[in-house]
């Protein structure tokens, strides 16, 4: 489940990394994570009627939205046999992302190993995309460190536990 007391943004995690050091940070924060990249939308060229996809710029010095660089750590109860979380827009989900483009139960993320997970679309209304490829309702795909997930209009980067620690370590040196 998502812990509201965790640091919220990459900069906060980088501060923790610098304070704690790599080993202590890894013991405390080594988890699967979704890192917000930004908002995806469609733009229309009125003069020509052309459409295209607009992707938010992802640079450490820009926070174009509240989502950009926001970290959602995915923590499963350690005593749970099924290590799976539902991501959605309401409190019915294990991880709540309150945006109109996210379905109540949008996707599930299931840990299938210490550094491996799977993503399943739960019949989301506005779609789930993994690295630009749409998942059909009920379709399950493996997640790899650095994969891009688009849930509705919001874009995230998936990080494995090891990948998250390395990502924050690099960010802390900026």
């Amino acid at each position: 489940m998502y812990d509201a007391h965790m640091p919220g943004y990459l900069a906060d995690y980088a501060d923790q990394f610098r304070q704690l050091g790599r080993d202590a940070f890894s013991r405390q924060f080594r988890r699967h994570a979704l890192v917000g990249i930004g908002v995806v939308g469609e733009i229309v060229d009125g003069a020509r009627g052309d459409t295209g996809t607009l992707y938010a710029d992802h640079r450490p010095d820009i926070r174009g939205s509240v989502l950009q660089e926001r970290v959602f750590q995915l923590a499963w109860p350690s005593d749970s046999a099924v290590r799976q979380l539902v991501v959605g827009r309401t409190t019915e989900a294990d991880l709540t992302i309150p945006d109109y483009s996210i379905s109540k139960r949008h996707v599930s993320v299931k840990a299938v190993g210490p550094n491996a997970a799977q993503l399943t679309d739960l019949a989301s209304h506005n779609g789930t995309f993994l690295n630009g490829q749409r998942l059909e309702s009920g379709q399950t795909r493996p997640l790899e460190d650095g994969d891009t997930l688009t849930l509705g209009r919001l874009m995230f980067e998936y990080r494995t536990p090891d990948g998250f620690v390395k990502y924050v370590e690099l960010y802390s040196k900026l």
Side-chain angles (χ1 to χ4, degrees):
M1 308 221 35
Y2 177 69
D3 183 350
H5 299 357
M6 295 291 240
Y9 289 90
L10 277 174
D12 302 325
Y13 282 93
D15 289 344
Q16 289 291 312
F17 187 92
R18 286 188 287 270
Q19 289 175 14
L20 298 172
R22 190 179 209 291
D23 291 341
F25 179 88
S26 185
R27 281 191 301 276
Q28 188 169 349
F29 297 111
R30 189 182 167 278
R31 296 189 181 117
H32 298 263
L34 297 179
V35 180
I37 296 174
V39 177
V40 177
E42 187 169 274
I43 57 172
V44 178
D45 180 345
R48 298 187 317 178
D50 293 338
T51 62
T53 303
L54 171 68
Y55 294 94
D57 193 4
H58 180 56
R59 294 186 301 211
D61 59 335
I62 294 176
R63 284 196 188 175
S65 72
V66 174
L67 176 69
Q68 195 154 2
E69 297 183 3
R70 176 76 186 267
V71 175
F72 298 93
Q73 286 206 309
L74 308 177
W76 292 271
S78 58
D79 60 348
S80 176
V82 178
R83 295 171 44 110
Q84 182 170 324
L85 294 174
V86 172
V87 179
R89 78 167 181 268
T90 68
T91 56
E92 296 172 20
D94 300 305
L95 172 58
T96 302
I97 302 174
D99 184 81
Y100 70 87
S101 70
I102 304 278
S103 295
K104 289 179 183 178
R105 295 173 43 85
H106 200 98
V107 294
S108 71
V109 180
K110 181 179 181 180
V112 293
N115 248 335
Q118 296 176 332
L119 179 73
T120 302
D121 181 84
L122 300 176
S124 64
H125 181 71
N126 289 317
T128 301
F129 294 81
L130 178 59
N131 297 323
Q133 300 293 316
R134 186 182 185 105
L135 271 68
E136 299 300 322
S137 176
Q139 185 178 5
T140 298
R141 299 269 305 275
L143 288 170
E144 295 183 19
D145 189 58
D147 279 350
T148 302
L149 283 73
T150 306
L151 309 178
R153 68 186 192 111
L154 305 180
M155 185 179 279
F156 301 88
E157 213 168 45
Y158 167 74
R159 292 292 170 184
T160 62
D162 288 344
F164 180 68
V165 172
K166 289 176 188 173
Y167 192 64
V168 171
E169 181 174 20
L170 289 173
Y171 190 93
S172 72
K173 294 176 181 178
L174 294 177

